């Protein structure tokens, strides 16, 4: 399969699983019957996402794993420790949705979401290494999604 087509399918899978999680969680959020841990995950998601956006301005990235030809390698802000903070923010948002229900379907959808984001990260990193000579060194000193762990 063409890598660009695969990237588009992964984006569709990401938004499909995230959309399904939102639909499942929305009634609980509307009823204000959300566990504190879900609120924590939601808050962390917002903080990480906003921090990533302040470090990597819109226009330097896109939702497709293909890097922009004129894009710059960002290694400050959360990118100092992790290569995919926006994906981390999306995973945390999905986790917040899961924690409102904590049933098998929600966990499976979150697993699909995480698999989509991991697959996108693998493709993106392959293309970033080809585009930016310094990317290999950057990879060697950072983690994928969680500082010092993963």
């Amino acid at each position: 399969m063409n890598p660009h087509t695969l990237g588009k399918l992964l984006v569709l899978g990401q938004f499909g699983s995230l959309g399904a999680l939102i639909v499942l969680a929305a009634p609980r959020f509307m009823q204000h019957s959300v566990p504190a841990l879900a609120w924590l995950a939601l808050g962390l998601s917002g903080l990480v996402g906003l921090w990533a956006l302040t470090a990597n301005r819109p226009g330097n990235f896109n939702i497709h794993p293909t890097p922009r030809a004129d894009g710059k390698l960002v290694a400050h802000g959360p990118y100092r420790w992790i290569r995919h903070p926006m994906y981390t923010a999306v995973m945390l948002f999905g986790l917040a949705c899961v924690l409102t229900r904590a049933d098998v379907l929600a966990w499976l959808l979150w697993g699909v979401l995480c698999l989509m984001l991991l697959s996108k990260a693998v493709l993106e990193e392959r293309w970033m290494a080809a585009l930016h000579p310094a990317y290999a060194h950057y990879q060697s000193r950072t983690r994928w999604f969680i500082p010092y762990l993963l």
Side-chain angles (χ1 to χ4, degrees):
M1 177 183 294
N2 176 331
H4 295 285
T5 302
L6 177 58
K8 289 178 183 178
L9 290 173
L10 290 170
V11 169
L12 284 173
Q14 170 190 341
F15 280 98
S17 56
L18 189 58
L21 283 167
I22 291 169
V23 167
L24 290 176
R28 300 279 172 96
F29 277 104
M30 291 176 169
Q31 295 167 355
H32 305 287
S33 60
V34 178
L37 202 53
W39 285 114
L40 177 63
L42 188 63
L44 285 173
S45 169
L47 288 173
V48 171
L50 287 173
W51 191 20
L53 283 174
T54 61
N56 190 4
R57 302 278 185 216
N60 194 48
F61 64 91
N62 59 39
I63 61 169
H64 192 276
T66 306
R68 294 186 181 272
D70 61 344
K72 308 242 183 307
L73 179 60
V74 177
H76 62 279
Y79 295 91
R80 184 178 315 139
W81 297 287
I82 56 176
R83 298 187 296 274
H84 304 282
M86 290 303 293
Y87 293 171
T88 299
V90 172
M91 286 182 206
L92 285 166
F93 182 87
L95 181 61
C97 292
V98 169
L99 293 172
T100 65
R101 297 173 49 100
D103 62 15
V104 173
L105 177 59
W107 283 110
L108 285 174
L109 285 167
W110 188 66
V112 168
L113 174 64
C114 291
L115 183 62
M116 295 295 124
L117 293 170
L118 176 61
S119 299
K120 281 179 63 180
V122 168
L123 276 178
E124 185 178 327
E125 292 205 354
R126 186 178 307 151
W127 292 331
M128 287 291 287
L131 188 63
H132 298 285
Y135 197 76
H137 176 21
Y138 173 68
Q139 282 179 299
S140 72
R141 62 182 181 78
T142 56
R143 297 294 187 182
W144 289 59
F145 307 111
I146 302 171
Y148 310 108
L149 296 176
L150 175 67

